[in-house]
């Protein structure tokens, strides 16, 4: 097959999309037929490795499907165009089409696919801009916030792992804390405890011991977290669970610079069965404690990396957002990105 057949299909599609009208009669576009012809041409181009023409045809097919209110089919065409562009290392164009695919899937009542497209966009652009990748990862979570809980679980967990792999720890903690609320709502205690242990490991890895300690107290039901999530129904269970005991021991190992205790914690099954990226950080904690690199400060702590002058209220800023505060004694304010 040569490209001439594909170009014939493009001309056919153009006739459906832009029909000629007479002086007295105006023809309406036949978008469904146009979309079919564009898509056929796109697949012909792709079979001949004419990627540039294939992408253009898939984008036109996506537009035609949108005009015929076939949002799911439009999204599929945008996704295909994005994947071709990704293979050709055209990062910005690929992300743009993944975004279009996400919008189409969301409007086509497929929030899981919408989230997956944003996740793909993040993976593509993280080589160029971690900041933009984080934005896509967060939007992937937002896409499933109003959907089925199972979709939220899967998306949130994938995003947390991706953020940890990028060592964007503050954002990983933020997403993990939101996942806690979902687990509590659905009464998934075991998954909740694993996620809580993950959060403690992340905070200690990021040298945020005061916040790790305060967060542990929230998990034990002493007070709500900064999202307003109440842990009272699970507090005692967590405290007496393997994950809770291990989290408590890790805090003690960090506070007392006890590498043997930290090593013992990281060798427990409840840690080994966490995601591999989290396990790596847990192992790094052993080296950090052993070398005396564990850091403490009574000053105000900015979790985006800087330390500002301290004061009696020890305000702890995780990045400048307004998620509220943990509450609790001594008016300790916690501004969580």
């Amino acid at each position: 097959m040569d490209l001439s057949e594909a170009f014939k299909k493009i001309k056919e599609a153009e006739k459906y999309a832009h029909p000629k009208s007479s002086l007295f009669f105006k023809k309406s576009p036949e978008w469904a037929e146009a979309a079919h012809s564009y898509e056929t041409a796109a697949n012909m181009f792709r079979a001949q490795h004419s990627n540039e023409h294939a992408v253009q045809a898939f984008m036109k097919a996506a537009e035609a499907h949108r005009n015929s209110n076939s949002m799911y089919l439009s999204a599929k065409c945008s996704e295909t165009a994005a994947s071709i562009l990704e293979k050709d290392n055209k990062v910005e164009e690929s992300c743009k089409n993944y975004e279009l695919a996400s919008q189409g899937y969301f409007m086509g009542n497929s929030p899981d696919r919408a989230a997956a497209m944003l996740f793909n966009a993040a993976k593509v652009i993280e080589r160029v801009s971690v900041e933009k990748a984080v934005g896509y990862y967060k939007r992937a979570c937002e896409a499933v916030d109003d959907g089925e809980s199972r979709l939220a679980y899967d998306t949130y967990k994938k995003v947390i792992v991706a953020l940890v792999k990028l060592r964007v720890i503050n954002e990983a903690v933020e997403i993990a804390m939101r996942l806690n609320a979902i687990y509590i709502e659905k009464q998934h205690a075991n998954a909740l405890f694993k996620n809580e242990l993950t959060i403690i490991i992340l905070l200690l890895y990021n040298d945020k011991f005061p916040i790790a300690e305060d967060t542990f107290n929230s998990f034990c039901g002493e007070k709500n977290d900064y999202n307003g999530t109440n842990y009272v129904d699970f507090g005692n269970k967590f405290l007496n669970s393997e994950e809770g005991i291990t989290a408590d021991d890790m805090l003690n190992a960090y506070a007392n610079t006890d590498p043997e205790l930290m090593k013992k914690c990281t060798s427990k099954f409840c840690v080994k069965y966490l995601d591999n990226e989290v396990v790596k950080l847990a192992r790094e904690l052993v080296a950090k404690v052993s070398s005396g690199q564990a850091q403490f400060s009574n000053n105000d702590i900015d979790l985006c990396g800087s330390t500002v002058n301290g004061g009696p209220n020890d305000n702890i800023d995780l990045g400048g957002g307004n998620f509220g505060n943990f509450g609790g004694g001594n008016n300790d304010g916690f501004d969580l990105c």
Side-chain angles (χ1 to χ4, degrees):
M1 182 195 304
D2 59 28
L3 296 181
S4 61
E5 291 299 316
F7 284 116
K8 285 181 182 179
K9 277 292 179 183
I10 291 292
K11 289 183 178 179
E12 179 182 294
E14 292 293 327
K15 289 180 181 179
Y16 285 124
H18 309 288
K20 292 182 179 180
S21 300
S22 66
L23 183 61
F24 303 103
F25 181 73
K26 184 177 181 180
K27 291 185 178 180
S28 298
E30 298 179 64
W31 291 116
E33 289 78 5
H36 176 73
S37 296
Y38 280 131
E39 201 166 344
T40 301
N43 284 313
M44 289 178 174
F45 285 128
R46 185 165 61 164
Q48 294 297 309
H49 307 290
S50 181
N51 287 355
E52 185 175 350
H53 288 115
V55 167
Q56 291 175 355
F58 275 121
M59 290 172 67
K60 285 183 174 291
E63 183 180 5
H65 279 306
R66 281 197 298 273
N67 289 335
S68 66
N69 292 317
S70 299
M71 301 310 297
Y72 190 90
L73 295 177
S74 174
K76 287 185 68 175
C77 290
S78 293
E79 178 183 359
T80 305
S83 66
I84 295 173
L85 289 163
E86 179 182 351
K87 291 176 182 176
D88 289 343
N89 292 317
K90 295 182 178 179
V91 174
E92 295 291 342
E93 296 94 327
S94 177
C95 289
K96 181 179 179 180
N97 279 276
Y98 275 131
E99 283 195 77
L100 289 172
S102 177
Q103 293 169 14
Y105 282 128
F106 193 83
M107 294 176 69
N109 296 315
S110 295
D112 56 332
R113 293 299 303 155
M117 295 303 99
L118 293 169
F119 191 90
N120 288 349
K123 297 297 289 183
V124 170
I125 207 166
E126 67 182 22
R127 293 167 287 178
V128 177
S129 172
V130 171
E131 183 179 357
K132 290 182 179 179
V134 170
Y136 280 123
Y137 283 131
K138 287 184 176 182
R139 287 171 58 192
C141 291
E142 292 169 4
V144 294
D145 273 347
D146 296 326
E148 293 294 328
S149 296
R150 179 185 59 80
L151 303 180
Y153 301 153
D154 294 343
T155 301
Y156 273 55
K157 287 190 290 186
K158 285 174 63 178
V159 166
I160 291 166
V161 171
L163 292 173
V164 170
K165 193 171 185 178
L166 290 174
R167 297 298 188 265
V168 188
I169 305 302
N170 299 334
E171 285 76 5
V173 170
E174 177 191 340
I175 300 298
M177 293 292 280
R178 287 162 58 185
L179 180 57
N180 275 357
I182 299 173
Y183 284 142
I184 289 173
E185 180 184 357
K186 298 301 177 181
Q187 301 286 304
H188 291 329
N190 291 335
L192 172 65
F193 298 160
K194 289 179 181 178
N195 196 51
E196 289 173 335
L197 176 57
T198 294
I199 291 169
I200 297 301
I201 291 172
L202 295 181
L203 288 170
L204 289 179
Y205 173 83
N206 224 24
D207 294 319
K208 309 306 175 190
F209 177 80
I211 297 178
E213 193 173 42
D214 198 89
T215 301
F216 178 80
N217 291 336
S218 292
F219 294 163
C220 293
E222 292 186 12
K223 57 183 176 180
N224 296 355
D225 68 17
Y226 63 86
N227 287 323
T229 303
N230 189 309
Y231 295 83
V232 170
D233 292 341
F234 294 90
N236 286 331
K237 293 178 182 178
F238 172 66
L239 188 59
N240 294 301
S241 70
E242 188 68 17
E243 290 82 4
I245 293 169
T246 302
D248 192 20
D249 285 343
M250 281 185 154
L251 288 166
N252 287 325
Y254 191 99
N256 298 313
T257 316
D258 188 340
E260 290 302 318
L261 179 56
M262 185 66 77
K263 186 175 181 180
K264 181 180 178 182
C265 291
T266 59
S267 66
K268 290 185 177 181
F269 285 116
C270 63
V271 173
K272 288 183 177 180
Y273 288 156
L274 298 176
D275 183 86
N276 287 336
E277 292 298 326
V278 178
V279 174
K280 289 178 185 177
L281 298 193
R283 289 171 180 165
E284 288 184 37
L285 276 176
V286 177
K288 178 175 288 191
V289 172
S290 297
S291 62
Q293 293 179 353
Q295 298 178 15
F296 302 88
S297 174
N298 292 324
N299 293 335
D300 292 1
I301 301 172
D302 174 2
L303 290 198
C304 289
S306 62
T307 302
V308 297
N309 292 331
N313 293 325
D314 289 344
N315 294 319
I316 299 179
D317 178 14
L318 282 90
N322 292 301
F323 282 88
N325 56 61
F326 284 92
N330 299 325
N331 296 320
D332 293 337
F334 294 78
D335 183 10
L336 275 272
C337 51

